[in-house]
Amino acid sequence: MLAIIGGSGFTRLPELHITDRRIVRTPYGLTSSPILSGKLGSHEIVFLARHGFGHTVAPHEINYRANIWALHAIGAENIIAVSSVTAINEALENGGLVMPHDLIDYTFGRHATFFEGQEKPVVHTDFLEPYSAELRRNLLRHAQSYDTPVYDRAVYGCLQGPRWPTRAEIRRYRNDGVDVLGMTGMPEAILARELGMAYAHFCGIVGMRCIGEGSETVCATESGLTIAKIRQLLVDL
């Protein structure tokens, strides 16, 4: 079963023909939203609104463990996470689509593992490649078949939020090799890995932060238009 976790601009799916809406109770509390089941294009999918249907849950307050556990509990095997990002690599085009191949986690204080507590075993999860190679390959091949360009080499930097970074922090992220910044990609990816679920991240670039000598240029695009590109690709999967 395919699961889609949506962020800003993706909480409403007019193309999704809903057949079921359920609240899944988990050992970690409630999910961000009820889970919708239905048909998107030719696929039976489940959809979870990461920030809630009214965008009421901030990135650092999301119950990531409940969200991933619930999707696994109802039988989801593959997760496509959709989110908006800001680019700090000027080689990336504002309004473009990007599928990161690697990530750096700058978050703190989030519950980032299912393996904690004395009753749980000590488990060290291999996370050298944070995203599913097969799921990424299938999505990129599908985008190519629709002549939709997607940046397939980018490092995603996951910020704690809810604030955006300072100039000095952006310089640091660039020095670290980060290309795009977001606030929700972790611990989603590692939690999915711990449960054996394939996870890929599909992002829409909705802003550029370009720092020059003594100044900063911030270019923004309409997030709804960018995310709509991803939505159309998923409908036609």
Side-chain angles (χ1 to χ4, degrees):
M1 182 191 297
L2 173 65
I4 297 175
I5 302 178
S8 300
F10 216 84
T11 53
R12 295 180 183 85
L13 281 168
E15 301 89 353
L16 175 62
H17 302 286
I18 300 171
T19 57
D20 186 35
R21 176 188 177 106
R22 68 181 108 172
I23 296 174
V24 180
R25 303 190 182 277
T26 82
Y28 308 98
L30 290 175
T31 58
S32 296
S33 72
I35 297 176
L36 304 181
S37 301
K39 196 166 186 179
L40 185 66
S42 60
H43 284 267
E44 297 291 336
I45 72 156
V46 293
F47 173 74
L48 190 149
R50 184 189 287 115
H51 296 284
F53 288 121
H55 199 92
T56 56
V57 186
H60 64 294
E61 296 176 325
I62 293 170
N63 192 340
Y64 293 96
R65 289 195 299 186
N67 289 349
I68 300 300
W69 192 95
L71 293 175
H72 181 263
I74 64 176
E77 299 173 334
N78 301 284
I79 297 176
I80 300 175
V82 180
S83 64
S84 302
V85 293
T86 298
I88 58 174
N89 181 342
E90 295 177 27
L92 303 181
E93 181 184 358
N94 194 27
L97 305 182
V98 60
M99 193 174 298
H101 74 284
D102 210 342
L103 64 82
I104 298 177
D105 185 8
Y106 296 103
T107 66
F108 53 88
R110 301 184 182 188
H111 294 292
T113 180
F114 291 110
F115 301 109
E116 64 179 12
Q118 293 186 348
E119 73 282 1
K120 296 291 181 66
V122 176
V123 175
H124 302 287
T125 305
D126 183 356
F127 204 52
L128 186 64
E129 302 287 343
Y131 303 115
S132 165
E134 182 179 1
L135 186 54
R136 287 184 78 253
R137 187 165 50 248
N138 290 340
L139 288 170
L140 289 168
R141 186 182 300 121
H142 176 69
Q144 186 177 28
S145 71
Y146 277 80
D147 294 322
T148 301
V150 178
Y151 297 107
D152 64 349
R153 300 293 295 180
V155 175
Y156 174 95
C158 191
L159 307 181
Q160 175 68 4
R163 70 171 178 86
W164 285 106
T166 66
R167 288 186 176 88
E169 287 170 331
I170 291 175
R171 285 193 291 269
R172 172 198 173 190
Y173 301 144
R174 282 180 170 172
N175 289 336
D176 287 348
V178 171
D179 299 296
V180 295
L181 295 171
M183 299 180 186
T184 58
M186 284 292 286
E188 274 187 1
I190 183 59
L191 293 172
R193 177 65 54 83
E194 287 185 348
L195 294 182
M197 304 168 76
Y199 180 98
H201 201 171
F202 215 160
C203 308
I205 301 173
V206 299
M208 302 287 295
R209 288 190 173 262
C210 314
I211 299 178
E213 289 295 327
S215 65
E216 178 187 10
T217 301
V218 181
C219 313
T221 189
E222 173 54 51
S223 63
L225 296 176
T226 307
I227 298 302
K229 297 179 187 178
I230 300 177
R231 199 162 69 188
Q232 188 57 52
L233 284 175
L234 296 181
V235 170
D236 295 331
L237 268 175

